[in-house]
């Protein structure tokens, strides 16, 4: 239930389409995230749900990388020597802690104001992160590949899921690991992620999500397979309103994450 242009009352897209594009960016999504640049790091601001979710997804990514590459995640810099590409890095909520764990991090953030804010925040924290205002398709075109590729809460914002996932797979190295997270397209996700989170509780700005762009685990696994990778793990993520925290679960009806590697 994480992420604004107010596109319609139930998170549905406008009927008019865009012209042909060479990437999977949605210009309206890029503009919306650009407007959030200055408040991204405010834990009580518009991205509060993402701040609450971040420790859980960071732990999942950390453990997945550690298991895949045989790293001791309790050591000071367990990911030293690993290159990591964070697609849709936003203000750096994931990129910064992963850099602190020793990874050489590159963050892709096509929203220019957001990328600039991410660079400033990283510099203030003494971190060296290569933030780029470009698309994953441009990275593919240069032939760059990374040990770890993450795209968290991004899939549901692109114009072509299969093309986006294919590009994410293409920049994942031969012994690499891909980590994705997104929202399932179910009636429950519509009730919780859109009606509940955006209209009733107002955790997120209206229009943050478009239910028709949500992706089922089966669709995402098929896209991963088409990109030449195999799903290694998948897990649901649920929110407990009583304790106000997130936890992993077998329930993938709303939020879920998966890892994939080359067979």
């Amino acid at each position: 239930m994480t992420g604004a242009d107010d596109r319609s009352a139930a998170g549905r897209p406008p009927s008019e389409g865009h012209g042909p594009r060479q990437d999977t960016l949605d210009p309206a999504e890029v503009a919306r995230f650009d407007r959030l640049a200055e408040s991204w790091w405010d834990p009580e601001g518009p991205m509060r749900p993402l701040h609450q979710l971040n420790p859980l997804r960071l732990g999942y990514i950390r453990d997945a990388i550690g298991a895949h590459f045989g790293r001791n995640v309790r050591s000071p810099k367990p990911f030293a020597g690993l290159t990591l590409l964070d697609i849709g890095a936003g203000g750096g909520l994931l990129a910064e802690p992963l850099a602190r764990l020793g990874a050489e991090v590159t963050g892709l953030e096509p929203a220019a104001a957001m990328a600039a804010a991410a660079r400033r925040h990283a510099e203030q924290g003494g971190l060296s992160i290569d933030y780029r205002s470009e698309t994953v398709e441009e990275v593919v075109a240069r032939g760059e590949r990374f040990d770890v590729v993450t795209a968290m809460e991004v899939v549901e914002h692109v114009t072509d899921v299969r093309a986006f996932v294919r590009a994410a797979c293409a920049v994942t190295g031969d012994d690499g690991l891909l980590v994705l997270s997104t929202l399932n397209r179910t009636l429950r996700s519509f009730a919780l992620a859109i009606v509940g989170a955006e209209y009733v509780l107002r955790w997120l700005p209206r229009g943050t999500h478009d239910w028709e762009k949500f992706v089922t685990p089966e669709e995402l696994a098929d896209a991963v397979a088409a990109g030449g990778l195999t799903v290694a793990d998948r897990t649901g993520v649920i929110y407990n309103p009583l304790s106000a925290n997130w936890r992993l679960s077998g329930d993938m009806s709303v939020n879920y994450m998966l890892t994939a590697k080359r067979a």
Side-chain angles (χ1 to χ4, degrees), residues 41 76-78 92 95-103 105 121-122 125-127 129:
W41 280 93
K77 299 282 186 180
E96 289 199 10
L98 289 168
R100 290 192 179 95
L101 290 171
V105 178
H121 198 273
L127 295 171
I129 298 173

Side-chain angles (χ1 to χ4, degrees), residues 8-263:
S8 75
R12 302 175 73 89
S15 58
E16 61 269 19
H18 300 291
R21 294 183 59 82
Q22 298 301 313
D23 55 56
T24 53
L25 286 180
D26 182 332
E29 297 280 8
V30 173
R32 180 171 61 80
F33 281 105
D34 236 355
R35 292 194 292 272
L36 292 169
E38 296 306 317
S39 60
W40 194 265
W41 280 93
D42 181 359
E44 300 301 322
M47 302 313 295
R48 178 181 178 184
L50 194 61
H51 282 265
Q52 294 175 328
L53 176 61
N54 204 49
L56 183 74
R57 63 180 190 165
L58 177 62
Y60 180 77
I61 294 168
R62 178 200 62 207
D63 292 347
I65 296 173
H68 184 76
F69 292 99
R71 301 297 182 93
N72 178 6
V73 298
R74 297 184 184 278
S75 63
K77 299 282 186 180
F79 303 150
L82 295 177
T83 58
L84 186 147
L85 179 69
D86 186 23
I87 304 172
L93 282 181
L94 267 180
E96 289 199 10
L98 289 168
R100 290 192 179 95
L101 290 171
E104 180 184 334
V105 178
T106 298
L108 299 187
E109 180 46 62
M114 182 71 76
R119 290 188 196 99
R120 288 195 300 271
H121 198 273
E123 290 169 0
Q124 290 167 2
L127 295 171
S128 178
I129 298 173
D130 180 15
Y131 284 111
R132 307 177 188 175
S133 295
E134 62 182 12
T135 68
V136 65
E137 289 84 3
E138 291 174 285
V139 178
V140 172
R142 283 198 300 274
E144 290 185 82
R145 302 180 88 185
F146 297 80
D147 297 314
V148 182
V149 177
T150 60
M152 314 300 286
E153 288 74 52
V154 174
V155 175
E156 68 272 20
H157 297 290
V158 301
T159 59
D160 185 331
V161 171
R162 289 181 72 85
F164 172 81
V165 173
R166 182 169 61 248
C169 290
V171 295
T172 303
D174 288 338
D175 187 37
L177 184 71
L178 173 65
V179 188
L180 303 170
S181 68
T182 190
L183 286 140
N184 198 351
R185 192 175 63 256
T186 62
L187 291 178
R188 188 176 183 193
S189 70
F190 183 84
L192 294 178
I194 293 179
V195 177
E198 297 183 17
Y199 288 83
V200 178
L201 299 174
R202 297 185 180 181
W203 286 346
L204 296 168
R206 291 183 180 185
T208 294
H209 290 119
D210 176 350
W211 183 82
E212 291 186 347
K213 293 172 76 173
F214 289 2
V215 184
T216 71
E218 293 74 23
E219 290 168 344
L220 192 56
D222 285 347
V224 166
L229 272 63
T230 301
V231 173
D233 179 71
R234 61 185 188 180
T235 182
V237 178
I238 63 172
Y239 180 74
N240 185 334
L242 297 179
S243 59
N245 63 22
W246 296 82
R247 66 178 178 85
L248 300 180
S249 167
D251 182 356
M252 296 191 291
S253 63
V254 183
N255 295 76
Y256 66 97
M257 299 187 286
L258 69 75
T259 61
K261 59 184 180 180
R262 297 200 182 277

